[in-house]
Amino acid sequence: MSTESPKSLGLSPTPGDAGAARTKRSKTKTLTPALRNSVPGLSSLNGSDGGSLEQWESLRQKTMRRGGPASAETVFGKAAKSGSVYRWGIAVAKSGPCDPVTQTISRLACGGLLAKIKKSPEFDLVAETQTFIDSMESTNVFDVLTATQVVTWAAALPELCRELAPELSWRLVTSLRQLHEAVVARANVTSAAHLILAGELGLTLAWRLADVPSCLLLRKPAVAAMTAWCEQSENSVADAVAGAVHARAVLASVVRCESLMQVTAKQKFKKVHIRAADVLATWVAALTVRKGGSVFSSATRKDAMDDLIDGGLFDRAVTYDSDTLEPAIAAVLGESQTGGRLAWEVSLPESMWHEPDAKLAVMLPEWDVQKSRVCLDYSGENVAIEIFSGRTKVIDGQWQTMIELDGDEQQPTGPWTEICEYSDDDVHYIEMEQPWTGGLLLQRQIMLVREDRCILAADAVVPTDQAIREASGAPSSQVIRYMSRLPMAESIAADPEPETREVFLSDGRRAAMVLPISACEWRVGPTAATLKSSEDGHLVFTSEGKGRLYSPLWIDCSQRRFKRKRTWRQLTVVDELRLCRNDEAVGYRIQVGSEQWMVYRTLGQPRTRSVLGKHLIADFFASRFDLTYGDHDALVTVDDSEPGSSE
């Protein structure tokens, strides 16, 4: 069982009883001391649950015959076929197909017979069970994948009881029950592992081992755990979507809990449950990419087919809000669009999803998969980024940054922190910052111009000290050298223009155009910034300046503009009839055909300045410029005088 994921839950495993179980003298066969020691926790059960092998054998026989009050097909419907209900979200979390053991145990969990299941020749159920129990008892870290694996083994107990020796099956039952007790007693109720191990595991044991009184009693604490997770959905969903790839597996647990609550506790989902499930399901839809894969996962449509089939995870997710989720899921899967636009657009959820606690953002111009989109995970030292131009992924991986100050290489000293977020009909915008050595701050902006399908990806390197940052007077003599490496997607190659500095991203057909707008447009002229491709598949953007530095890239994802004439220029910024230096404020104009945009960024203290006929007092300003009338259609304005404010 893997415990490598950073999304995990620390637990202190409950040890088995050290002493041997005491039984009254009788004519029935009792466990020998050696056997009792090999079955930890046997004496911890009360009443008819334990004491003798014969008593467990009676309960085991009932479990094999009944398998709970209802079959898996009765509980889960079509999703029980071939065990797919227990494989929902697994491929996305693993970034590949389910392993053979998961395939086999999930089929056993839904009533499959071991003799009829196609499995690898080397599959040994006894050895796999012993390995599973040992790993479960020896670890105190359970991530979403591990927790889901535990639930799947619990659901397979009726068939496992048929195939395993009584001693081994009892050890499995005891270990599962003790794990549930440990999680209920010690876990964080908002963690995904708590939902799965305290909620779903308890409901599963109560379902599958309904003839074991101690397991039947788990219904109440399991429902309470599930409800507590939903009641704190703001934090619970943040934990579920952190890292992006586990969201489906967590939603799968919620869906299974709904069915299990009805069959074991005779309770239906209430508003608090549906509300949490709806938010998580919408996140899953937003994280879904064309053909059914997911953001930051390498799982293919074939790998994730269990999620997509009739009666699968997506079909169940839609039920939590069919009016919005049904068109949203159809749109992201590319199953429903009309002329590039959605006929039922008004029914769709919001198109920007940002979870600051999880440090995850998804920026969709529209839910239609044919439109461009940006996905960010800034929970690590480097920002993980995926950029889609239409259906084509053009950027995929870790956005690496290197900074030198007077020739000395600097390093990050803290995490990324979101400092500004804004969304409306024109743009989605997010800004974050990270402290560095040398008294520097790296501030990163991502702006998606929704209708125009353009993306601004820009870094500013400024002093950490606010007083220094706002100081006026003589320019700084410190030389800043900056380099960023944007990873191109696997199928993408760089196609640079021969005479100018823009670079096209192509998979045989040009998908996106990248303009280094702080660089000189023509390759023959001097420039302080360059954009090239590397042999290892990265776009390498370098820049140099003194005191403060702004390094913007403009990414155009509209193929209709690729053949039009284009240009970009750095603009003159004026402060009370004085030309501003590049370490004070910069402005840029981008023109493709008749369409023009302007970007302005303050690097020092915001002051009233003029650029391209616009008078501004702002930290950042972007507009669509109308050359005919000479006016600006403002896209976004960020005022640094009130941190995080924008309009």
Side-chain angles (χ1 to χ4, degrees):
M1 293 168 58
S2 170
T3 60
E4 298 176 357
S5 169
K7 270 179 57 59
S8 59
L9 171 69
L11 297 173
S12 299
T14 303
D17 293 340
R22 296 186 179 182
T23 57
K24 294 181 179 179
R25 294 181 179 273
S26 68
K27 294 182 180 180
T28 59
K29 181 179 179 181
T30 58
L31 295 176
T32 64
L35 180 56
R36 288 196 295 266
N37 289 334
S38 71
V39 188
L42 180 59
S43 63
S44 67
L45 299 181
N46 298 318
S48 62
D49 289 28
S52 71
L53 182 61
E54 186 173 286
Q55 288 172 321
W56 165 239
E57 180 63 18
S58 175
L59 296 173
R60 190 173 72 93
Q61 291 294 333
K62 290 182 180 180
T63 299
M64 288 188 292
R65 287 194 302 271
R66 282 173 25 101
S71 68
E73 185 176 357
T74 302
V75 176
F76 300 120
K78 295 179 181 179
K81 185 178 180 180
S82 301
S84 68
V85 68
Y86 285 104
R87 297 192 296 272
W88 286 346
I90 301 301
V92 165
K94 293 173 69 71
S95 278
C98 291
D99 60 90
V101 173
T102 299
Q103 291 279 356
T104 301
I105 300 302
S106 63
R107 283 171 166 78
L108 294 179
C110 289
L113 300 178
L114 187 65
K116 296 184 178 181
I117 295 175
K118 183 179 179 181
K119 49 191 179 297
S120 58
E122 64 273 12
F123 181 85
D124 184 336
L125 181 61
V126 173
E128 293 293 346
T129 303
Q130 290 174 334
T131 300
F132 168 72
I133 295 173
D134 290 342
S135 62
M136 182 170 50
E137 293 179 340
S138 63
T139 187
N140 62 351
V141 178
F142 290 87
D143 61 22
V144 170
L145 273 177
T146 307
T148 302
Q149 186 180 20
V150 168
V151 167
T152 306
W153 278 82
L157 279 171
E159 183 62 19
L160 293 174
C161 286
R162 182 178 288 108
E163 298 290 338
L164 300 174
E167 297 86 352
L168 187 56
S169 63
W170 183 250
R171 184 185 171 202
L172 175 60
V173 171
T174 304
S175 297
L176 289 168
R177 197 181 66 93
Q178 290 180 339
L179 174 59
H180 175 265
E181 291 177 350
V183 178
V184 169
R186 305 181 181 106
N188 177 2
V189 298
T190 62
S191 73
H194 183 85
L195 165 72
I196 300 171
L197 295 177
E200 187 183 357
L201 177 58
L203 291 169
T204 302
L205 291 173
W207 167 46
R208 283 311 202 184
L209 299 179
D211 293 304
V212 180
S214 64
C215 290
L216 194 59
L217 291 174
L218 300 180
R219 292 175 300 180
K220 186 175 181 179
V223 171
M226 169 64 189
T227 302
W229 187 89
C230 293
E231 287 175 341
Q232 300 187 43
S233 60
E234 184 173 342
N235 295 324
S236 300
V237 171
D239 181 83
V241 303
V245 298
H246 293 108
R248 285 195 198 180
V250 180
L251 177 61
S253 181
V254 173
V255 171
R256 291 192 295 264
C257 282
E258 180 182 14
S259 298
L260 290 170
M261 281 175 58
Q262 294 183 35
V263 75
T264 62
K266 308 302 180 185
Q267 294 184 28
K268 294 184 178 181
F269 261 17
K270 299 178 181 178
K271 288 183 179 180
V272 66
H273 303 108
I274 295 174
R275 189 182 307 115
D278 180 17
V279 174
L280 182 55
T282 310
W283 261 108
V284 167
L287 293 168
T288 298
V289 299
R290 180 175 173 259
K291 296 185 177 180
S294 183
V295 170
F296 302 126
S297 174
S298 301
T300 64
R301 180 180 179 85
K302 181 179 179 180
D303 297 335
M305 187 54 67
D306 288 311
D307 305 342
L308 308 171
I309 59 175
D310 186 22
L313 178 62
F314 281 18
D315 280 357
R316 288 294 301 271
V318 163
T319 62
Y320 296 118
D321 186 354
S322 58
D323 289 343
T324 60
L325 284 171
E326 186 172 357
I329 290 175
V332 295
L333 293 177
E335 296 173 351
S336 182
Q337 61 272 331
T338 305
R341 297 189 63 82
L342 302 174
W344 18 251
E345 205 169 41
V346 294
S347 299
L348 291 169
E350 294 295 329
S351 57
M352 178 170 175
W353 285 76
H354 178 216
E355 179 45 70
D357 290 339
K359 299 189 176 183
L360 181 70
V362 181
M363 307 163 77
L364 315 173
E366 294 179 18
W367 281 86
D368 191 340
V369 73
Q370 295 190 70
K371 304 300 182 180
S372 305
R373 56 189 62 199
V374 181
C375 310
L376 303 168
D377 180 355
Y378 56 99
S379 60
E381 181 176 296
N382 295 316
V383 175
I385 183 169
E386 286 189 1
I387 296 178
F388 287 80
S389 178
R391 301 180 179 214
T392 304
K393 186 191 295 184
V394 293
I395 299 294
D396 178 20
Q398 299 289 317
W399 184 351
Q400 301 169 329
T401 307
M402 282 72 77
I403 300 174
E404 288 185 1
L405 186 62
D406 286 339
D408 296 328
E409 186 174 349
Q410 307 301 313
Q411 299 294 332
T413 60
W416 287 97
T417 304
E418 177 257 327
I419 57 175
C420 182
E421 173 192 348
Y422 182 71
S423 177
D424 65 11
D425 291 342
D426 291 321
V427 300
H428 298 316
Y429 177 87
I430 188 169
E431 184 173 349
M432 63 198 79
E433 67 181 18
Q434 182 185 46
W436 281 58
T437 56
L440 298 177
L441 267 181
L442 177 60
Q443 296 180 331
R444 178 159 292 170
Q445 300 167 288
I446 305 293
M447 179 182 69
L448 172 61
V449 186
R450 297 177 60 182
E451 184 177 351
D452 297 337
R453 297 177 61 193
C454 295
I455 300 162
L456 174 72
D459 279 349
V461 182
V462 297
T464 303
D465 191 321
Q466 181 72 14
I468 297 176
R469 200 157 64 237
E470 295 182 355
S472 59
S476 171
S477 61
Q478 290 184 309
V479 176
I480 298 173
R481 291 188 175 89
Y482 161 93
M483 178 173 70
S484 73
R485 288 164 47 85
L486 274 171
M488 292 182 286
E490 185 177 1
S491 61
I492 296 298
D495 180 14
E497 286 288 87
E499 297 181 349
T500 52
R501 296 187 185 275
E502 63 264 46
V503 174
F504 285 92
L505 303 181
S506 172
D507 62 350
R509 180 183 180 186
R510 288 179 168 180
M513 177 173 62
V514 185
L515 310 178
I517 58 176
S518 61
C520 176
E521 180 180 1
W522 299 94
R523 292 186 179 275
V524 295
T527 183
T530 61
L531 177 65
K532 299 178 180 179
S533 62
S534 65
E535 293 183 357
D536 62 350
H538 286 71
L539 283 178
V540 181
F541 185 38
T542 61
S543 186
E544 182 176 327
K546 290 187 176 182
R548 302 171 183 86
L549 184 65
Y550 188 56
S551 302
L553 291 174
W554 185 265
I555 305 173
D556 193 333
C557 299
S558 177
Q559 292 183 351
R560 66 179 176 81
R561 288 194 289 262
F562 290 176
K563 293 184 179 181
R564 297 179 182 177
K565 293 182 179 181
R566 54 191 172 269
T567 186
W568 68 87
R569 291 286 186 274
Q570 181 169 350
L571 300 171
T572 299
V573 181
V574 178
D575 182 347
E576 296 182 351
L577 303 181
R578 180 182 63 85
L579 299 183
C580 290
R581 303 185 307 268
N582 287 346
D583 64 336
E584 293 179 297
V586 289
Y588 301 97
R589 178 175 65 89
I590 307 102
Q591 180 175 357
V592 183
S594 61
E595 298 175 82
Q596 297 192 54
W597 303 267
M598 194 266 279
V599 172
Y600 166 83
R601 177 65 153 88
T602 296
L603 294 172
Q605 182 180 10
R607 290 170 51 86
T608 302
R609 298 188 175 103
S610 299
V611 55
L612 199 62
K614 181 73 173 179
H615 300 287
L616 295 166
I617 178 167
D619 181 65
F620 175 74
F621 175 79
S623 68
R624 192 182 290 110
F625 186 73
D626 190 324
L627 186 61
T628 302
Y629 296 100
D631 60 3
H632 295 261
D633 179 11
L635 297 172
V636 62
T637 304
V638 178
D639 184 358
D640 197 38
S641 61
E642 297 181 10
S645 65
S646 59
E647 58 181 53

